[in-house]
Amino acid sequence: MAPTPLDLGALVRTVRDFPQPGIAFRDITPLLATPGALAQVVAHWTERFAAADVERVVVIESRGFLFGAPLALALDAGVVPVRKPGKLPAQTIGEDYSLEYGTGRLEMHADAVAPGQRVLLVDDVLATGGTLAATAALVRRAGAHVVGAAVLIELIGLDGRARLGDLAVDALLEMPA
Ligand code: AMP
């Protein structure tokens, strides 16, 4: 018999005024610490993207790594990290972006994805959409095809999806911004 599904939303802790006043930070560490929860998340996305022929899962530093790597294993795809500036050792391409609490830049190895490759993006939270938009832009600049994006939590009220055009985003949970 299949195990009773966990209430994933109850495993996300909200920390008010972190990392700065006015931000309700959605902390996924209780979910990660709960046996079975990560497996439930990965199983959901594995089913959702099983028919998408995903060849590479692009994981966004740093919490996207935690969800994206096991998903890539399940989808029999490779893992490609997108990182903050200066972390990747070989030649990179980069995109500047803005997020709910600041601005930044993301980088990917220039040879990490090949033209025409089918790529899925993974992160923990979709807020304003800047991070995913910048990551999609990086992958497309490399010539690959973004088949979709998977996030654990979509913050409602920030219009993040609007910034992503027709990118298909699968969000397991919705929470207020
Ligand atoms: P955005 O680019 O605005 O969509 O922001 C998404 C990125 O910022 C993700 O990588 C999240 O990890 C992080 N982030 C933004 N807002 C929050 C929040 N309220 N709680 C947790 N993480 C957040």
Side-chain angles (χ1 to χ4, degrees):
M1 209 172 76
T4 309
L6 294 162
D7 178 359
L8 296 175
L11 297 174
V12 176
R13 170 169 54 191
T14 298
V15 182
R16 306 244 165 236
D17 299 319
F18 181 89
Q20 63 187 49
I23 300 296
F25 192 85
R26 306 300 178 173
D27 173 24
I28 56 156
T29 61
L31 185 153
L32 292 171
T34 302
L38 184 56
Q40 188 173 314
V41 171
V42 169
H44 168 87
W45 284 330
T46 305
E47 194 181 323
R48 168 72 176 74
F49 293 104
D53 294 325
V54 175
E55 297 174 278
R56 298 287 182 272
V57 177
V58 165
V59 297
I60 302 172
E61 182 170 1
S62 57
R63 292 181 292 274
F65 294 178
L66 296 160
F67 296 105
L71 176 61
L73 271 178
L75 291 173
D76 198 20
V79 178
V80 171
V82 161
R83 301 207 60 184
K84 288 163 189 153
K87 302 283 189 186
L88 290 167
Q91 193 194 338
T92 59
I93 54 175
E95 280 282 328
D96 296 307
Y97 71 108
S98 63
L99 44 62
E100 198 188 1
Y101 45 80
T103 60
R105 180 178 170 81
L106 289 173
E107 294 180 346
M108 182 177 78
H109 274 145
D111 62 357
V113 295
Q117 236 164 19
R118 297 176 64 79
V119 171
L120 175 66
L121 316 181
V122 178
D123 204 0
D124 64 335
V125 171
L126 167 61
T128 66
T131 304
L132 276 179
T135 305
L138 278 177
V139 170
R140 288 175 181 141
R141 264 168 59 196
H145 174 59
V146 182
V147 301
V151 296
L152 182 72
I153 303 160
E154 177 175 359
L155 298 183
I156 301 306
L158 296 175
D159 235 6
R161 262 177 211 261
R163 207 155 156 182
L164 299 174
D166 59 3
L167 181 66
V169 182
D170 185 272
L172 263 102
L173 303 169
E174 293 185 348
M175 295 184 172

